[in-house]
């Protein structure tokens, strides 16, 4: 699938690291480093603007290495970029560690997955059909 992209930053375009990668890395596009204090959140710019085809979204997700090694994650996970959005892609990072974390220009801060989606149409009814599970939720199916 071809996706139109405008790069108003100075980083290379996102790309897949391997032939079977689901996500491509997004890089920070910064004029100077940004320090995230413990529990601080910031919108980090990427310089990228995309035009997705109708029926698709881009999901912005954390990078597992940053999460495990540094306690840095994407706050609204997954963040959704709608097909009709044309603004800059920004990544809401949060520092869940106990140490300050410096985001440097060009650093890989998140990954973006392109996914197909459907739009549902609600049909209001008086009752729903019965299922074995019923209204059971939040651990209802057990731990085994």
């Amino acid at each position: 699938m071809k996706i139109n992209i405008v790069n108003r930053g100075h980083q290379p375009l996102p790309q897949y690291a391997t032939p079977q990668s689901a996500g491509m890395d997004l890089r920070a596009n910064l004029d100077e480093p940004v320090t995230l204090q413990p529990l601080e959140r910031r919108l980090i710019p990427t310089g990228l603007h995309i035009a997705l085809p109708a029926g698709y979204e881009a999901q912005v997700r954390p990078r597992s290495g940053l999460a495990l090694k540094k306690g840095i994650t994407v706050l609204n996970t997954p963040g959704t970029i709608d097909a009709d959005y044309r603004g800059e892609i920004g990544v809401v990072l949060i520092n869940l560690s106990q140490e300050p974390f410096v985001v440097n220009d060009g650093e890989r801060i998140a990954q973006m997955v392109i996914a197909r989606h459907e739009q549902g149409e609600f049909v209001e009814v008086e009752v729903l059909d019965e299922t074995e599970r019923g209204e059971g939720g939040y651990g209802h199916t057990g731990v085994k």
Side-chain angles (χ1 to χ4, degrees), residues 44-104:
I44 307 297
T46 65
L48 303 174
H49 302 249
I50 61 175
L52 294 166
Y56 287 86
E57 67 167 323
Q59 299 174 0
V60 178
R61 302 177 180 184
R63 293 192 65 241
S64 57
L66 273 182
L68 176 64
K69 297 173 185 172
K70 302 292 185 176
I72 305 301
T73 191
V74 177
L75 190 56
N76 59 324
T77 300
T80 294
I81 301 166
D82 294 310
D84 58 354
Y85 177 68
R86 296 297 182 267
E88 181 178 7
I89 296 172
V91 178
V92 182
L93 288 184
I94 187 167
N95 181 355
L96 297 177
S97 77
Q98 297 175 349
E99 304 293 328
F101 177 78
V102 177
V103 181
N104 291 300

